[in-house]
Amino acid sequence: IRESEGGSAQLNRIVLDHLRAWFATLGLQAVAQIHPTDQSELSAHLLHQVASLLDSQGKHDIAQTLFQRSLAIRERVNHPEAATTLNNLAESLKSQGKYEEALPRLQRSLGIYERTFGVNHPAVAGSLSNIAQLLKLQDKYDDALLYHQRSLEINKRVFGNDHLKVTTDLNNMALLFKAQGKYEVALQFLQSALDIRSRTLGPDHHLVANCLHNLAELWQELGKYDQAEQHARRSLEIYERVHGSDHPLVATSLNNIAQLFQAQVISFFTHWHSVVTVLFVSSG
């Protein structure tokens, strides 16, 4: 079902929610039929799929139980898909803020991918990126940067410098530097991602808009409001063209532009208050 604009989009979301709930019910009924001694990959796959569906609905505890059951089967036979199950289990734990529990699962997933595919495989790069983002949430910025750099090196080696996976790494590294307040460095990485996406996807792609949105936030942090507004408006135009005027991303962009104007007003009055204070003191 494709989400259209306005009320139709809301109706489609309601229908999709009902369908997901129905599939989850069917999935749980199917899982209940799995015998405790059944160690087949088919059962592991079913457990994993139902767990993923439940996790997407916010039912993390039961999802994690099913992920663990799937993982137990797959690890017993050294199935490479155990890495995927570990990754999804870790993501579920991360969504609950259980970072210390999630990290060793992601590291085990990385080890399986490296043993299965070699250290320069895209799956390894994806796993490295997942670990980096978790470390960022724990404020372990130096460690996170090392994992992001490894992911970037692999994707450049495998896909070339202008691939979308490379731009994802660049974007993630920019957000990492932004979290540390290193805005000038972050700008360089984001601008590189924007240049690549604009060349490969064209100037009106939603991934280009994402870069523009992130750049606008960085320029605002630097107090460069003209540049921030320019990038924010370009991002908004693309979102409206691609998604329609009623899409949540459009609403978010409009809200960001409003916050940008608010920041400008606050900056203006703060500046003039300082000027008036200095003049008053001087005249006194």
Side-chain angles (χ1 to χ4, degrees):
I1 299 175
R2 182 180 65 86
E3 288 193 4
S4 55
E5 298 178 14
S8 297
Q10 183 178 1
L11 177 61
N12 283 341
R13 283 193 291 271
I14 293 172
V15 172
L16 283 171
D17 287 342
H18 282 293
L19 283 173
R20 291 189 184 103
W22 180 61
F23 281 127
T25 300
L26 290 179
L28 285 170
Q29 291 173 353
V31 164
Q33 302 302 313
I34 298 176
H35 194 275
T37 61
D38 187 344
Q39 300 296 307
S40 67
E41 169 55 25
L42 180 61
S43 294
H45 178 75
L46 175 61
L47 288 162
H48 181 102
Q49 293 300 111
V50 175
S52 297
L53 180 58
L54 291 169
D55 198 58
S56 70
Q57 297 174 340
K59 300 175 182 178
H60 302 300
D61 291 338
I62 186 172
Q64 289 164 21
T65 298
L66 297 183
F67 278 134
Q68 291 282 16
R69 288 179 60 189
S70 175
L71 179 63
I73 295 173
R74 287 175 164 173
E75 286 194 318
R76 189 170 290 114
V77 296
N78 292 319
H79 197 286
E81 282 299 310
T84 305
T85 303
L86 280 165
N87 181 77
N88 289 8
L89 174 57
E91 290 298 317
S92 179
L93 291 165
K94 185 176 79 170
S95 69
Q96 294 181 299
K98 298 177 180 179
Y99 304 144
E100 296 297 335
E101 295 181 49
L103 183 58
R105 268 85 175 184
L106 286 178
Q107 290 170 330
R108 284 166 59 193
S109 177
L110 172 62
I112 294 172
Y113 282 134
E114 288 179 329
R115 290 192 300 273
T116 304
F117 302 116
V119 295
N120 292 318
H121 193 275
V124 172
S127 189
L128 290 165
S129 181
N130 289 340
I131 293 174
Q133 292 182 63
L134 179 59
L135 290 169
K136 175 192 168 191
L137 291 174
Q138 297 176 288
D139 297 334
K140 298 177 180 178
Y141 299 126
D142 291 341
D143 291 338
L145 180 59
L146 292 175
Y147 280 93
H148 274 315
Q149 287 173 331
R150 284 186 60 194
S151 176
L152 178 63
E153 290 168 2
I154 293 170
N155 283 325
K156 281 185 173 182
R157 186 179 298 116
V158 174
F159 299 109
N161 292 338
D162 288 347
H163 196 273
L164 289 182
K165 288 185 179 293
V166 170
T167 68
T168 299
D169 286 323
L170 292 170
N171 183 76
N172 289 339
M173 292 173 75
L175 296 178
L176 177 63
F177 285 117
K178 179 187 175 187
Q180 300 173 76
K182 299 178 180 179
Y183 302 130
E184 298 286 356
V185 180
L187 276 174
Q188 297 174 25
F189 281 91
L190 267 182
Q191 189 61 54
S192 296
L194 175 63
D195 292 344
I196 296 171
R197 288 180 178 179
S198 297
R199 286 197 306 271
T200 57
L201 299 172
D204 294 331
H205 195 277
H206 71 93
L207 290 179
V208 172
N210 292 351
C211 275
L212 290 166
H213 168 83
N214 291 338
L215 279 165
E217 290 189 341
L218 281 174
W219 283 120
Q220 182 176 338
E221 293 287 352
L222 289 166
K224 305 291 187 180
Y225 297 115
D226 289 342
Q227 292 95 323
E229 182 181 351
Q230 176 188 356
H231 286 82
R233 289 194 177 280
R234 283 179 60 198
S235 175
L236 173 62
E237 290 170 2
I238 296 171
Y239 284 142
E240 286 182 323
R241 190 176 300 119
V242 173
H243 299 297
S245 59
D246 293 331
H247 195 274
L249 284 173
V250 173
T252 299
S253 292
L254 288 169
N255 183 63
N256 289 343
I257 291 174
Q259 290 180 354
L260 173 60
F261 289 149
Q262 183 181 27
Q264 286 179 277
V265 171
I266 293 173
S267 176
F268 174 81
F269 282 108
T270 300
H271 171 71
W272 279 107
H273 179 268
S274 300
V275 171
V276 171
T277 300
V278 170
L279 290 174
F280 180 79
V281 172
S282 299
S283 62

